[in-house]
Amino acid sequence: MRSRTPDRLCAEAVDVALAVTEEAAGPQSVGEHLGVVAEGDRVVTHFFACKEPAYRGWRWATTLTRASRAKVVTIDETVLLPGDDAVLAPEWVPWSERLRPGDMGPGDLLPTEADDLRLEPGWTGEDDERFPGFPEVVGAEVPGVSDGAETSEAEGPGQDFVVPTPATISAVAAELGMGRPRVLSRYGLHAAADRWEEQFGAKTPMAQAAPANCVSCGFLVAIKGSLSQAFGICANEFSPADGRLVSLSYGCGGHSEAAVMPKTPAPPPMVLDDLAETEPLALHPDRTASVDDEASPAEELGHS
């Protein structure tokens, strides 16, 4: 049990602790004696101030001890420990917890754990004795189906079904995730949907102020799979979600039917005046009449 009272001989050996501390850290790094703490029976730690500028608030700790019934004090260790007002580095966090979306750059590799909850094992056919290899199963010939035939009806009374082609089987298998070591699990699917719903969903300020939802927008590009019932891709270059996966309940002011601009009215046809059947008009009728009415000076003299 740890003793609360420091051992007297170890506590009085301040000079011994100071000499050991200066030998380990250097005289320029060791300051005044700060106190003594009992670590156990006949085990005492002496604290000295640290003068290093980079370790403000830290202190040197030298532990002394002695054997039972012995009067000679021995050295245990000397370390640098933080004090109550020491400047400490933030608590170390694993890289997997520090990683944030957008941190990856060109050439970076992000490993996934073997038991990642977002993924689950896929089906490749390698472990199934009936199907030694998935590519062979997809490309295998179906009995009764000739090469190049799209479909074939099975022979036999009461049997009328269509055998799919290898290309159709391959497309369906690829969509289901066959051939991949791991596929998206239900947990990973729901986590992705919640994340996308938070970014471009019905509860965002943009959607709250939108005149209509994306489900009725002409710029929405439909997707396949189970997510097609709740998400689509925005193709409006002026929308803040252009090229992003958006919820069908999301919306913005760029909705295709929100504010349809009216068509520009066609201008009326040009009308030209027809002057063919009218008499020409004088450019200055008032001036012409005044000139004709005026008499010449010779005429005025002849009448006089």
Side-chain angles (χ1 to χ4, degrees):
M1 183 176 180
R2 181 175 176 177
S3 176
R4 296 183 179 179
T5 303
D7 181 76
R8 183 178 61 83
L9 294 179
C10 293
E12 292 177 353
V14 178
D15 296 339
V16 177
L18 178 60
V20 173
T21 306
E22 290 180 347
E23 181 181 358
Q28 70 281 359
S29 300
V30 183
E32 68 276 9
H33 186 259
L34 299 179
V36 178
V37 174
E39 302 290 350
D41 295 339
R42 297 179 302 278
V43 179
V44 172
T45 298
H46 292 263
F47 293 100
F48 298 91
C50 179
K51 294 183 178 180
E52 294 291 339
Y55 291 88
R56 179 172 52 86
W58 290 62
R59 52 191 181 175
W60 293 103
T62 299
T63 302
L64 306 180
T65 185
R66 68 180 180 88
S68 177
R69 298 182 181 180
K71 296 183 179 180
V72 179
V73 177
T74 59
I75 310 303
D76 192 352
E77 63 178 355
T78 299
V79 295
L80 183 62
L81 299 177
D84 296 336
D85 57 345
V87 179
L88 301 177
E91 184 179 357
W92 183 81
V93 181
W95 69 267
S96 58
E97 300 179 10
R98 289 185 281 112
L99 189 64
R100 293 294 180 266
D103 290 347
M104 292 187 60
D108 294 341
L109 298 179
L110 179 61
T112 55
E113 300 180 0
D115 55 349
D116 196 325
L117 297 178
R118 301 171 299 172
L119 301 172
E120 62 184 11
W123 187 85
T124 59
E126 297 178 356
D127 300 333
D128 198 330
E129 297 179 356
R130 299 173 300 171
F131 306 104
F134 173 72
E136 289 76 8
V137 175
V138 174
E141 296 183 0
V142 180
V145 180
S146 60
D147 295 340
E150 294 296 332
T151 58
S152 175
E153 296 183 359
E155 298 179 357
Q159 296 183 357
D160 186 10
F161 61 91
V162 178
V163 179
T165 62
T168 303
I169 298 176
S170 178
V172 174
E175 184 176 353
L176 295 178
M178 295 183 178
R180 289 181 288 170
R182 289 191 292 179
V183 296
L184 193 64
S185 65
R186 184 172 295 273
Y187 170 79
L189 184 65
H190 289 176
D194 293 341
R195 186 171 62 253
W196 298 334
E197 182 73 25
E198 183 179 356
Q199 295 178 354
F200 298 99
K203 296 182 180 180
T204 59
M206 182 66 71
Q208 294 291 334
N213 296 331
C214 293
V215 66
S216 59
C217 182
F219 294 107
L220 184 71
V221 179
I223 61 176
K224 292 184 178 180
S226 58
L227 291 176
S228 61
Q229 302 178 4
F231 294 95
I233 301 176
C234 178
N236 188 348
E237 61 179 325
F238 299 106
S239 171
D242 179 36
R244 308 292 294 273
L245 200 67
V246 297
S247 172
L248 298 183
S249 58
Y250 180 74
C252 68
H255 194 281
S256 61
E257 312 303 325
V260 180
M261 297 181 61
K263 294 183 179 180
T264 304
M270 183 179 296
V271 179
L272 297 177
D273 294 335
D274 189 2
L275 304 178
E277 299 179 356
T278 60
E279 296 180 358
L281 301 178
L283 296 179
H284 303 284
D286 297 339
R287 182 179 179 182
T288 303
S290 60
V291 171
D292 294 340
D293 294 341
E294 292 179 358
S296 61
E299 295 179 352
E300 292 180 358
L301 294 174
H303 293 287
S304 57

